[in-house]
Amino acid sequence: MRSGFRCVLVAATLVLGACASTQEEAEVLPEETYYEEARSAMNSGNFNEAESNLDQLETYYPFGRYAEQAQLDLIYARYQNLDLEGARSAADRFLRLNPQSEQADYALYMRGLASYNLDVGLATRYLGVDPTDRDPGEQRRAFQDFSELLSRYPDSEYAPDARQRMIAIRNRLAELELHAANYYIRRQAYLAANNRARYVVENYPESPSTEEALILMAETYQALELDDAAKDAIRLLAVNYPGSEAFDRNLNFQGRDLTPESRSLLNVVTFGLLGD
């Protein structure tokens, strides 16, 4: 009996000790302390610690005097930690809670920047992935955010960079369409390839890919034996790109032969062009 009592006593002591430890760990600091420690950590480049303090501040003081600034800082801290999805989520939350904030343009910009780099920065920098081979979903989201920023806050200090990134996104989406067009050409799906090339001409006319898209349109129309449409594409190419390498010195169109007999040679040439 005495031995059993001793076991119960030891167990109770352990439980009380664990409770005391939990209480110590759960000690809530003053709001200003969390904020100052977060700012200090950010200034020293320790964004993990900054994020931890900002999370605590939001948890214990969601409507405190530092709440709005803490939400903005959390966007930045997560972005610097390469938690791009988390940064976008934090920006979403800020815009939802502070729709009339003077800093809404910053949150919109950072939300777009997070999506922009989800597809571009990390893939290219760390994985060696060509971003034009990736699903463009995040790029489209970034484009929408930057477009909203320019529409709502045209004089924002972030507007010039957002505008340049929109151009880059547009060019990247056009390149993606050309990748798809060449994919279909290698498989002799000329109508599908033509649709992709035509989409570039109609939706991204100012992109660097437009010249190649017109060439692909002419080539695929010829392969489909749509001679009048091919002539229209060639005429449009000549008007806009008279110096195109698709023309010889007499401005005669020199398109590739897309007939099945030359398919193996075409694959070699096409892969070479894509690799340049």
Side-chain angles (χ1 to χ4, degrees):
M1 179 67 69
R2 183 171 300 176
S3 175
F5 176 76
R6 185 180 299 114
C7 290
V8 171
L9 181 61
V10 170
T13 302
L14 290 174
V15 170
L16 291 173
C19 291
S21 175
T22 301
Q23 289 176 350
E24 290 177 0
E25 292 176 359
E27 180 184 357
V28 179
L29 301 176
E31 178 185 9
E32 187 174 359
T33 300
Y34 285 123
Y35 181 74
E36 289 180 349
E37 290 187 0
R39 296 296 297 184
S40 177
M42 290 178 67
N43 290 335
S44 63
N46 189 343
F47 295 103
N48 282 323
E49 182 179 342
E51 185 175 345
S52 176
N53 279 285
L54 292 168
D55 283 334
Q56 295 294 323
L57 194 156
E58 277 208 278
T59 298
Y60 296 118
Y61 305 98
F63 305 107
R65 57 181 293 199
Y66 299 106
E68 182 174 335
Q69 185 59 47
Q71 291 166 18
L72 289 169
D73 290 343
L74 185 60
I75 299 171
Y76 182 72
R78 288 181 176 175
Y79 182 84
Q80 290 296 327
N81 272 334
L82 299 182
D83 179 10
L84 302 181
E85 292 182 355
R88 184 175 178 89
S89 175
D92 272 335
R93 184 171 184 272
F94 178 87
L95 291 167
R96 187 172 63 254
L97 295 177
N98 310 279
Q100 304 303 321
S101 171
E102 294 180 355
Q103 303 297 325
D105 61 332
Y106 172 79
L108 263 175
Y109 172 72
M110 290 300 294
R111 190 172 72 179
L113 198 61
S115 285
Y116 180 88
N117 283 294
L118 270 169
D119 271 353
V120 181
L122 298 182
T124 303
R125 187 181 308 170
Y126 299 110
L127 303 178
V129 175
D130 183 347
T132 59
D133 282 332
R134 294 168 58 82
D135 187 307
E138 290 297 336
Q139 292 296 288
R140 297 188 193 281
R141 293 176 75 186
F143 192 94
Q144 291 173 355
D145 286 331
F146 293 144
S147 180
E148 183 179 352
L149 171 64
L150 295 179
S151 176
R152 292 175 56 185
Y153 309 100
D155 299 324
S156 169
E157 63 180 295
Y158 309 107
D161 186 70
R163 189 174 292 107
Q164 291 302 309
R165 291 183 188 276
M166 287 177 69
I167 294 173
I169 292 171
R170 179 202 66 194
N171 293 343
R172 195 168 294 118
L173 293 176
E175 291 176 17
L176 182 65
E177 295 296 327
L178 289 186
H179 271 281
N182 279 296
Y183 170 86
Y184 287 125
I185 285 175
R186 292 195 298 272
R187 282 150 184 79
Q188 300 169 17
Y190 302 129
L191 181 58
N194 182 275
N195 288 335
R196 293 293 187 133
R198 186 155 44 85
Y199 186 88
V200 172
V201 174
E202 293 175 352
N203 293 276
Y204 309 114
E206 298 179 0
S207 76
S209 299
T210 303
E211 178 184 354
E212 184 181 351
L214 284 168
I215 295 172
L216 292 180
M217 281 179 61
E219 291 174 341
T220 50
Y221 276 135
Q222 288 178 338
L224 293 166
E225 298 183 354
L226 298 173
D227 295 336
D228 289 342
K231 289 177 182 178
D232 289 340
I234 293 170
R235 189 178 302 114
L236 192 58
L237 178 67
V239 169
N240 290 277
Y241 304 96
S244 174
E245 294 183 358
F247 296 115
D248 63 16
R249 65 180 61 186
N250 297 317
L251 280 183
N252 294 313
F253 182 70
Q254 303 293 312
R256 294 172 295 174
D257 182 7
L258 303 184
T259 56
E261 290 76 14
S262 62
R263 183 181 179 189
S264 60
L265 177 59
L266 172 63
N267 283 342
V268 173
V269 175
T270 302
F271 279 117
L273 288 174
L274 293 176
D276 291 341

